[in-house]
Amino acid sequence: MTEYFPEVKQVKYEGPDSKNPLAFKHYNPAEKVMGKTMADHLRFAVCYWHTMKGLGSDQFGMDTIVRSYNKAADPMQRAEQTLQAAFEFFTKLGVQFWCFHDRDIAPEADNLAETNKRLDKIVALAKKMQDQTGLKLLWGTTNAFSHPRFMAGAGTNPDPHVFAYAASQIKKAMEITHELGGAGYVFWGGREGYDTLLNTDLKRELDHMALLLQRAVDHKKKIGFGGQLYIEPKPKEPTKHQYDFDAGNCFAFLQKYNLVEHFKLNIEANHATLAAHTFQHELAFCVANGILGSVDANRGDLLLGWDTDQFPTDLYDTSMAMYTILKGGGFTTGGLNFDAHVRRQSIDNVDLFYAHIGSMDAFARGLKIAARLIEEKVLDKAVQERYAGWDQPLGRDIESGKMDFAGLEQYILENGEPLLRSGRQELLENILNEYI
Ligand code: XUL
Ligand code: CO
C-alpha cells in the first residue's frame, strides 16, 4: 500500500528527557493518572477537515500546501486516497479517534442520491479501516454551510426548501455516523444566524432551528443511534451573529425547546474566546449545568479577532481545562478533538505531526498538573474556606430557604456589618505557577 507520510514511522513516548521532536515527552497513553490511563482521560481525536483537507488557503491567498494523496484527477479516487492517508496518519500518531463532516470524506455529486452513493462507498472503506486499525469515530457531523444553497442558513433559512435539504443531509450524516459506530454527533450552526436584522425574522428562525433538532432527535430514535448529540456554540463567524452564541445561550435555547435531555455541548476553545469568555469559563458553565459533552481543542490569538484555530500549546489553558473537565467527572462519550490547522507557512507533512504531538503533550501535562491540583486539594481548600459561612447557621438557613427578607433584615439589625476578607487571587496565582 502507498505510504503517504514516509517521513514518520511511529510516534512513541520517550519521556521528558527526549530531544526527539517526533516523540511524546509527556503523553504516555498507558500511564495511569487518578486511576485511569492517559489515553482514556484525554480521548484524542484528529479532525478530518483541517488535518487532511486543509491546504493553507485563506481569504487573501490560494493553497500553499501540497499533499501527495490529493493529486488524482478523479474526485472519488482522491477521496479514497485521502482516507487511506488519514488512517495512516491517525495510526502513526497513535490517537484513538477521528471526526469528520460528510463532505470532508466524500465529494458532493450533482444530486443528493448520487452524493449519498458516494458517501456509502467511502463509509464502507472507512469501516474496513476502522476494523483494521482499531480507530474509532468520536463524532460525525454534516457540512450544511459551505454550499451556496446554505448561504442564508440551513435550519434557519427563510426558504423551507433549504430546510428540507439540510434535514436530508443531516439524516444521512446521522446514519453514516451510526454505521461507523460514532460515539456522538455534532451540530455546529454553520450559518445559523444573521448578517442583518433588516431582513430577518429572528423568532421564526429560532423556532425552525429547534424544529430541525427535534426531527434529528426523532431520527436518532428511529435508527437506534445510541451516540450523544452535541451542540457546538460559536458567537460569530461566518455570520455576524450566530444563534448558538455561547454555552449559556445554548443552554437557554435547549431548555426553552425541551431539548436539554437530548443534547450536551461541544466546547471549542477559540469559540469561547470569540464570545469574550475563557475556554475554562465555558467548560465550568457546562459542568455546573450538567451539559459538558466534548471539546474542540484549539486556541485563538490574543491580537486577532477571528477563529484562528491554532494548535493548543498554552499550559495554563490546558491545565485549567483539564482541571475543570476532571472536576466535572471527565469525558464519557466526548474527547479532545483537535479542531485546529497548521499555519499557512507550515507546508510540510512533518508539520502536521509536530502540531499534534505538541498539543497532545500540552494536554498530557495539563492532565498531570490538574490531577496534582485535585489530589492536593490546592484550589478546593481555598474555595471551601471562602464559602465557609454557608456551612454555618446563617448560610444553612438561607440555603434551605428558611430565611425570608424580614428574617434577613433582623439578622443585620442584630449583627451589623459583615467582616471583609481578602479573595487572595495573587496568592492563588502564585501557587498555581508552582504546579505549572
Ligand atoms: C467551525 C467549527 C466546525 C465544527 C464542526 O468554527 O468549529 O468545524 O467543529 O462543524
Ligand atoms: Co469546532
Side-chain angles (χ1 to χ4, degrees):
M1 205 191 265
T2 318
E3 199 179 14
Y4 295 99
F5 298 101
E7 307 84 344
V8 179
K9 290 304 162 202
Q10 183 69 50
V11 182
K12 293 197 184 105
Y13 172 71
E14 290 185 4
D17 296 332
S18 168
K19 294 280 177 271
N20 177 0
L22 287 167
F24 295 118
K25 322 284 185 302
H26 302 277
Y27 178 57
N28 185 10
E31 184 181 325
K32 289 217 168 152
V33 176
M34 288 175 71
K36 217 160 97 173
T37 65
M38 290 179 97
D40 286 345
H41 271 296
L42 298 164
R43 294 169 63 85
F44 289 126
V46 169
C47 89
Y48 210 87
W49 52 102
H50 287 312
T51 296
M52 302 315 299
K53 307 282 300 243
L55 297 174
S57 65
D58 65 15
Q59 279 161 311
F60 304 93
M62 56 187 81
D63 293 348
T64 55
I65 297 170
V66 179
R67 302 272 186 230
S68 60
Y69 53 78
N70 195 38
K71 289 189 166 155
D74 173 51
M76 276 304 278
Q77 199 184 341
R78 262 198 323 269
E80 283 178 27
Q81 292 181 346
T82 304
L83 194 73
Q84 271 154 6
F87 276 80
E88 182 191 328
F89 182 78
F90 305 155
T91 312
K92 285 181 168 174
L93 184 63
V95 290
Q96 298 155 286
F97 296 95
W98 64 305
C99 296
F100 68 84
H101 299 85
D102 47 4
R103 301 300 177 251
D104 304 333
I105 56 170
E108 202 160 345
D110 291 339
N111 57 66
L112 188 69
E114 232 11 77
T115 300
N116 286 351
K117 259 193 224 155
R118 287 182 168 188
L119 265 176
D120 288 337
K121 195 161 174 223
I122 296 292
V123 166
L125 198 61
K127 202 169 176 186
K128 215 189 288 168
M129 290 190 196
Q130 285 194 162
D131 288 344
Q132 280 164 3
T133 57
L135 253 291
K136 293 195 178 89
L137 180 62
L138 189 67
W139 49 261
T141 186
T142 193
N143 178 333
F145 46 87
S146 292
H147 193 281
R149 76 175 75 88
F150 298 120
M151 69 180 185
T156 63
N157 199 288
D159 182 355
H161 197 130
V162 180
F163 182 100
Y165 211 108
S168 314
Q169 265 190 227
I170 294 168
K171 173 179 177 290
K172 182 67 180 174
M174 287 178 80
E175 287 164 6
I176 60 173
T177 299
H178 182 38
E179 171 76 14
L180 290 170
Y185 185 89
V186 162
F187 291 84
W188 168 60
R191 291 180 197 273
E192 313 290 34
Y194 61 79
D195 290 319
T196 172
L197 281 173
L198 293 175
N199 62 13
T200 302
D201 185 338
L202 184 143
K203 166 153 192 335
R204 211 162 184 186
E205 291 203 357
L206 286 168
D207 287 348
H208 295 167
M209 197 163 84
L211 275 171
L212 191 71
L213 297 180
Q214 281 154 357
R215 295 296 78 80
V217 170
D218 295 346
H219 196 63
K220 178 184 174 209
K221 248 179 245 159
K222 189 167 167 188
I223 62 175
F225 174 48
Q228 175 65 50
L229 302 180
Y230 307 108
I231 292 192
E232 181 177 326
K234 185 175 183 179
K236 53 187 161 195
E237 211 193 302
T239 67
K240 163 203 170 100
H241 178 92
Q242 303 270 129
Y243 291 131
D244 294 327
F245 196 92
D246 61 2
N249 187 291
C250 288
F251 188 44
F253 173 87
L254 290 171
Q255 287 178 96
K256 174 176 175 189
Y257 292 101
N258 291 320
L259 285 164
V260 84
E261 64 176 298
H262 302 292
F263 286 85
K264 288 194 172 6
L265 300 193
N266 180 39
I267 294 299
E268 177 163 328
N270 203 164
H271 297 179
T273 51
L274 282 178
H277 299 306
T278 60
F279 180 25
Q280 195 194 357
H281 165 86
E282 290 290 83
L283 295 170
F285 181 88
C286 287
V287 167
N289 292 288
I291 52 167
L292 180 62
S294 200
V295 166
D296 271 6
N298 62 13
R299 77 184 144 101
D301 185 296
L302 199 63
L303 304 180
L304 300 174
W306 62 89
D307 198 11
T308 60
D309 283 343
Q310 283 161 257
F311 275 86
T313 52
D314 183 316
L315 292 182
Y316 282 89
D317 253 11
T318 60
S319 301
M320 295 324 290
M322 287 317 300
Y323 180 77
T324 307
I325 291 166
L326 288 182
K327 293 286 278 181
F331 290 125
T332 50
T333 55
L336 292 168
N337 168 47
F338 292 114
D339 191 353
H341 58 89
V342 290
R343 298 303 89 190
R344 185 168 158 77
Q345 295 175 57
S346 303
I347 58 174
D348 296 334
N349 280 346
V350 75
D351 290 314
L352 279 182
F353 283 94
Y354 294 147
H356 285 86
I357 290 168
S359 293
M360 289 164 78
D361 264 347
F363 269 98
R365 285 173 81 174
L367 170 65
K368 287 191 270 189
I369 290 163
R372 279 182 61 215
L373 287 170
I374 291 172
E375 279 163 352
E376 296 174 27
K377 296 193 187 338
V378 179
L379 300 174
D380 274 344
K381 229 188 284 166
V383 173
Q384 211 179 351
E385 276 169 23
R386 192 153 177 259
Y387 291 81
W390 291 93
D391 299 317
Q392 301 302 314
L394 172 66
R396 273 205 296 266
D397 285 350
I398 299 174
E399 279 194 345
S400 65
K402 263 192 216 155
M403 291 287 258
D404 61 6
F405 270 10
L408 291 164
E409 182 190 46
Q410 190 55 38
Y411 182 88
I412 295 303
L413 292 173
E414 282 167 20
N415 293 276
E417 281 294 320
L419 210 66
L420 298 187
R421 293 186 322 155
S422 165
R424 297 269 185 266
Q425 180 171 335
E426 294 78 5
L427 171 65
L428 292 173
E429 286 168 348
N430 295 350
I431 293 173
L432 182 60
N433 265 358
E434 295 300 316
Y435 283 77
I436 289 175

